[in-house]
Amino acid sequence: MLITRSYGQQPAPQRQYSEVMYHKIKPGHTLEEALAIEKEWKKIHQVQLDNGHISGWFVISKYLSSNPDRQAYDYVTIKNFTDFAVFGNSYPESHLEKTFGSTTKDKWADLLKRTGEVQEGIKVEIWEGVDAVWNEKQLSPDKSPIWVIDLMRVKDGKDAEYVAMEKDMKKLHQERIKMNNITGWNLAALKYPGGSENGYNYATVNYFGNAKEMGDTRYGEAFQKVMAGQDVNKLVSRIYQTRDLVRQEIYILREFAVKQPALAAK
């Protein structure tokens, strides 16, 4: 799906990955119950951030989706990391002990039990960051509560051309940031699991501060400023020659843990 920004980490690492888990709320339970459980998981992830095990953790709930199976999943958790070995050791014992203290075993078992009663993780994906641009003045994730995610299927043999096109479009997103239209944009590639049955293999995310900005993306205005004299129709044609837009989804940021203590406390 995406690579989210790792707040408080400068400079950005050469490579960054995201473990993206899709969650389905079980019958008889609510999103509010699931989010209450996620607040407890946040304590563990904050310890992992402080120890450099991960570089960010986010919870987003699905608001709109073009997916015809609208009940496929309800919310998503995203864990950023720079060392792929993290995926093989997601929750080191030392981090659990620092979170739970002397009753680690019982509290960890209880958290897993209560989590399983409310929701189930139905799918996991690993994404790798390709490119991104951010408003460096927007330091807190809660300044970007709306995420518009486009999931693309890049055509066979068109990967290099598609990525080059997105990198060329990056200046449009930079201009939109200057206009206070978006707070950030990123491009990610699906690393695992592969297979054409996924339907998509790349994703872009536009981050918005509010619904008004989302309603007016200001592409046309930005295009005239940074690509004056170019034919917008040719640009659109170039885009569709490299990929198909498989799905668009809109999410709302619900919870997060970041490296900076002030933001984490918030």
Side-chain angles (χ1 to χ4, degrees):
M1 181 192 294
L2 66 158
I3 294 287
T4 58
R5 179 181 183 182
S6 291
Y7 292 80
Q9 189 175 57
Q10 296 291 337
Q14 184 177 8
R15 284 195 168 196
Q16 186 166 179
Y17 306 96
S18 284
E19 177 192 85
V20 179
M21 180 174 287
Y22 299 78
H23 302 265
K24 174 68 179 173
I25 297 173
K26 291 185 175 180
H29 295 278
T30 65
L31 176 62
E32 287 69 28
E33 289 179 87
L35 293 177
I37 293 287
E38 293 297 343
K39 282 183 178 291
E40 296 185 53
W41 282 90
K42 177 180 177 177
K43 297 175 184 178
I44 303 174
H45 292 117
Q46 194 64 58
V47 170
Q48 294 187 322
L49 276 157
D50 294 340
N51 282 272
H53 189 67
I54 62 175
S55 54
W57 176 80
F58 304 84
V59 181
I60 54 176
S61 65
K62 186 172 64 173
Y63 182 65
L64 293 174
S65 175
S66 63
N67 185 357
D69 184 2
R70 304 191 186 283
Q71 303 304 315
Y73 43 85
D74 299 295
Y75 73 97
V76 174
T77 55
I78 303 157
K79 182 162 56 178
N80 290 354
F81 52 94
T82 56
D83 182 355
F84 209 82
V86 168
F87 186 60
N89 187 20
S90 297
Y91 296 98
E93 188 69 24
S94 61
H95 296 168
L96 298 180
E97 291 175 352
K98 191 168 184 179
T99 305
F100 297 124
S102 60
T103 57
T104 295
K105 185 176 180 181
D106 292 339
K107 287 184 177 180
W108 176 236
D110 178 65
L111 179 59
L112 291 174
K113 177 178 178 293
R114 289 185 292 109
T115 300
E117 290 172 346
V118 173
Q119 59 84 20
E120 60 180 331
I122 60 172
K123 182 172 66 171
V124 179
E125 295 172 341
I126 304 297
W127 291 78
E128 182 173 358
V130 177
D131 204 353
V133 59
W134 307 98
N135 184 344
E136 294 302 331
K137 295 179 180 179
Q138 297 283 2
L139 294 179
S140 177
D142 60 2
K143 300 299 183 182
S144 308
I146 302 174
W147 300 15
V148 179
I149 302 173
D150 289 343
L151 295 156
M152 268 79 66
R153 182 69 192 177
V154 173
K155 299 175 182 180
D156 292 344
K158 296 285 187 178
D159 288 73
E161 183 179 351
Y162 169 71
V163 170
M165 179 273 296
E166 287 287 9
K167 286 181 177 291
D168 191 41
M169 292 278 287
K170 183 177 176 179
K171 53 179 164 288
L172 282 176
H173 307 307
Q174 291 172 322
E175 184 61 33
R176 291 169 67 206
I177 288 174
K178 292 178 182 178
M179 295 175 175
N180 294 317
N181 176 235
I182 60 173
T183 58
W185 166 90
N186 69 262
L187 169 68
L190 181 63
K191 191 171 182 67
Y192 295 109
S196 60
E197 63 187 355
N198 285 325
Y200 50 80
N201 51 10
Y202 283 85
T204 61
V205 189
N206 283 282
Y207 301 86
F208 292 92
N210 55 61
K212 181 179 179 180
E213 293 168 0
M214 185 183 72
D216 181 11
T217 57
R218 303 181 73 178
Y219 274 112
E221 185 179 347
F223 186 88
Q224 291 302 319
K225 287 187 176 183
V226 301
M227 294 183 174
Q230 297 188 45
D231 188 340
V232 65
N233 293 320
K234 288 184 179 180
L235 177 61
V236 172
S237 177
R238 179 187 171 198
I239 293 172
Y240 283 99
Q241 286 172 6
T242 61
R243 59 85 169 152
D244 294 317
L245 176 59
V246 175
R247 183 182 304 166
Q248 185 176 82
E249 296 186 323
I250 301 174
Y251 287 87
I252 305 299
L253 178 65
R254 297 292 187 173
E255 192 59 77
F256 62 88
V258 294
K259 185 67 174 178
Q260 293 178 344
L263 295 182
K266 182 180 177 63

